[in-house]
Amino acid sequence: MKQFFSDIPTVKYEGKDTKNPFAFRYYDADKVILGKKMSEHLPFAMAWWHNLCAAGTDMFGRDTADKRFGTEKGTMEHAKAKVDAGFEFMQKLGIKYFCFHDVDIVPEADDINETNRRLDEITDYMLEKMKDTDIKCLWGTANMFSNPRYMNGAGSTNSVDVYCFAAAQIKKALDLTVKLGGRGYVFWGGREGYETLLNTDIKFEQENIANLMRMAVEYGRSIGFTGDFYIEPKPKEPMKHQYDFDAATAIGFLRQYGLDKDFKMNIEANHATLAGHTFNHELRISAINGMLGSIDANQGDCMLGWDTDEFPYDVYESTMCMYEVLKAGGLTGGFNFDAKNRRPSNTYEDMFHAYILGMDTFALGLIKAAELIEQGQLDSFIQKRYESFGSELGQRIRNGKTTLTELAEHAEKMGSCPAVSSGRQEYLESIVNRTLFN
Ligand code: XLS
Ligand code: NI
Ligand code: NI
């Protein structure tokens, strides 16, 4: 078997003082934190598209990285070389999962029947590889945004024929996800949105999307898919308005169309910030609705208004993320690095540096979030903050056992304004800083 990364050693935990650039400083797979191994808290996944396909092309320039893996792009030989490279990469890093779109794993043919044949061939090859390793599929999805047929949307298209192509791609991607034992199936609705209301019937489009999702659930369950379906919310880009704006919007949509039992959220950090939210806000909204499923682990740039998909290095953010994940009792999915090297980081070594950075960032976030939870200062502050609702009257408000008239009488009896307590935000922020930098 050809080795693509023979110069790079297997990456191991060496602790924070190591000088070895190809070692983990914080990610210690077997270390137990709050009763669970780090590797169980953090099921990391490699994103096929960014790691094995994207080579640095942007709006102004072509590829900077060589991702041919010794073959010619657009061939099945290249598709297989990517499988070989991907498995070698994951094994060197101890990554146990991957995520893929249909067209990440084979070149799309003009005829969908030929594309499907290629997909069968490559997934046979992937299955062979999986047998010899403990690497599994985290989730699969269909790319329903790159091909020009989706310029007016996939589930939201105005064309019945395009809608059928979307259905066919989802059906095949579900077959492949089941074949590869995937834990989840993602809908990221990149083109499910609109540019102008002058040509758009939103209600019509949303009903069609919901029907497509309902058919996906029916088909998935009929072929033995027992995992979660996910919506990955994102407010904009590529479309100006995207229907799955944020977690709250997506959850409302799922409930409206009776899809909430089968779906959860796949929350991407960079999408949260594009929606004007923090990453932890989106995680909390998902968790309190019982829909925190999986995470696309990346990071945006506050000075750029698009999905820059950077590898996460901000430990404050990863700590706040892991705080939410721990509080929610973990994920049913995992942490998919939907992230790409910056364009000038164009060598194989950079692919490894990026994953080491991302994995260590989340490992350190996990360690720090566990410390915050064990200290319990944030929890006890919040508990105290709401303690007035512990009174007899407070309990009746909580249980919906009172009336506006009764509450108004209570206020009138008091007459003057009651005292209110400080939110102590800066004090709480200093607790987080002390935990991070002690
Ligand atoms: C794009 C999305 C995409 C999904 C999978 O912004 O993040 O990569 O994760 O289709
Ligand atoms: Ni994503
Ligand atoms: Ni994204």
Side-chain angles (χ1 to χ4, degrees):
M1 178 63 57
K2 191 173 180 317
Q3 292 265 310
F4 297 95
F5 312 113
S6 48
D7 295 350
I8 292 160
T10 298
V11 181
K12 298 205 183 79
Y13 171 74
E14 291 184 8
K16 71 178 171 48
D17 297 322
T18 183
K19 299 272 180 293
N20 179 1
F22 295 105
F24 295 118
R25 285 163 178 73
Y26 302 99
Y27 182 63
D28 183 3
D30 291 330
K31 185 184 162 118
V32 174
I33 291 190
L34 297 180
K36 246 170 48 175
K37 283 185 185 173
M38 263 196 179
S39 58
E40 293 167 294
H41 282 291
L42 297 167
F44 290 126
M46 178 191 76
W48 212 270
W49 53 105
H50 280 318
N51 205 43
L52 303 172
C53 310
T57 289
D58 71 7
M59 245 113 76
F60 299 94
R62 53 182 186 271
D63 287 359
T64 53
D66 184 358
K67 299 255 175 107
R68 287 173 297 174
F69 301 112
T71 61
E72 206 181 310
K73 282 191 175 180
T75 62
M76 283 304 282
E77 199 196 354
H78 180 236
K80 285 187 181 152
K82 286 196 292 185
V83 176
D84 295 339
F87 276 79
E88 186 188 339
F89 183 82
M90 289 185 275
Q91 279 177 295
K92 288 221 154 127
L93 284 156
I95 292 178
K96 304 280 187 252
Y97 295 92
F98 61 85
C99 299
F100 72 101
H101 301 82
D102 44 4
V103 303
D104 301 335
I105 56 175
V106 294
E108 196 176 4
D110 288 337
D111 184 332
I112 191 171
N113 297 294
E114 169 59 12
T115 306
N116 287 348
R117 193 203 59 72
R118 293 179 186 176
L119 287 166
D120 291 337
E121 184 184 331
I122 202 74
T123 46
D124 284 346
Y125 191 64
M126 287 159 79
L127 264 188
E128 275 305 307
K129 287 275 189 184
M130 288 165 75
K131 268 191 215 134
D132 300 333
T133 68
D134 52 359
I135 292 171
K136 303 182 193 69
C137 172
L138 184 65
W139 52 255
T141 188
N143 177 326
M144 305 194 297
F145 43 89
S146 294
N147 192 295
R149 66 176 166 266
Y150 296 122
M151 71 175 190
N152 293 310
S156 59
T157 180
N158 58 313
S159 154
V160 164
D161 291 345
V162 172
Y163 194 87
C164 292
F165 262 79
Q169 269 188 262
I170 295 169
K171 178 172 179 284
K172 188 68 185 174
L174 274 165
D175 287 338
L176 303 175
T177 302
V178 169
K179 177 173 173 181
L180 298 173
R183 278 201 202 182
Y185 184 87
V186 164
F187 281 87
W188 168 60
R191 304 272 176 202
E192 312 294 34
Y194 67 93
E195 294 294 320
T196 173
L197 277 182
L198 297 176
N199 65 13
T200 303
D201 183 337
I202 294 185
K203 186 165 186 287
F204 184 95
E205 294 194 357
Q206 292 198 339
E207 286 168 359
N208 282 357
I209 294 169
N211 268 327
L212 195 57
M213 289 180 173
R214 182 186 49 75
M215 290 187 279
V217 170
E218 278 168 15
Y219 180 74
R221 299 306 180 215
S222 80
I223 59 165
F225 176 66
T226 53
D228 288 320
F229 288 86
Y230 302 121
I231 282 185
E232 184 180 320
K234 184 178 182 184
K236 58 188 171 193
E237 199 213 4
M239 300 303 265
K240 180 171 171 188
H241 302 271
Q242 284 174 196
Y243 295 138
D244 302 325
F245 188 94
D246 60 2
T249 312
I251 291 167
F253 172 87
L254 292 172
R255 293 220 171 107
Q256 183 180 354
Y257 293 104
L259 294 160
D260 47 309
K261 298 284 170 290
D262 293 280
F263 274 80
K264 289 190 165 69
M265 294 295 113
N266 180 39
I267 297 296
E268 176 164 321
N270 204 160
H271 297 182
T273 48
L274 284 180
H277 299 308
T278 56
F279 187 17
N280 52 341
H281 168 90
E282 288 293 84
L283 297 168
R284 179 74 65 91
I285 294 293
S286 305
I288 62 173
N289 284 286
M291 288 200 203
L292 178 55
S294 206
I295 284 178
D296 267 14
N298 65 9
Q299 185 177 316
D301 183 318
C302 65
M303 275 169 260
L304 300 172
W306 67 90
D307 201 11
T308 56
D309 286 343
E310 292 170 34
F311 276 88
Y313 65 82
D314 184 333
V315 178
Y316 189 93
E317 286 295 302
S318 67
T319 302
M320 293 295 110
C321 164
M322 292 315 298
Y323 190 79
E324 295 303 319
V325 171
L326 289 172
K327 287 280 191 184
L331 300 174
T332 48
F335 294 78
N336 167 46
F337 285 110
D338 192 355
K340 59 183 178 221
N341 281 104
R342 297 305 85 193
R343 193 163 182 264
S345 303
N346 63 342
T347 69
Y348 285 165
E349 286 85 348
D350 291 304
M351 291 164 63
F352 283 86
H353 291 317
Y355 270 76
I356 292 169
L357 170 70
M359 291 165 80
D360 264 346
T361 298
F362 273 87
L364 185 51
L366 168 64
I367 294 167
K368 295 297 175 184
E371 279 178 34
L372 280 171
I373 288 173
E374 279 175 331
Q375 289 161 9
Q377 282 163 289
L378 301 180
D379 272 338
S380 58
F381 185 85
I382 289 175
Q383 212 184 357
K384 211 165 157 9
R385 184 156 182 257
Y386 296 98
E387 79 183 352
S388 73
F389 280 85
S391 67
E392 192 269 336
L393 179 59
Q395 281 305 297
R396 280 194 290 119
I397 294 173
R398 295 287 296 147
N399 298 327
K401 294 268 156 45
T402 182
T403 64
L404 270 192
T405 307
E406 187 196 0
L407 299 183
E409 276 167 14
H410 183 78
E412 284 153 15
K413 232 182 272 163
M414 283 187 291
S416 56
C417 281
V420 280
S421 63
S422 165
R424 299 249 187 277
Q425 182 169 335
E426 297 76 7
Y427 165 72
L428 298 169
E429 286 165 344
S430 80
I431 292 177
V432 175
N433 269 4
R434 263 179 275 149
T435 309
L436 284 178
F437 301 108
N438 65 5

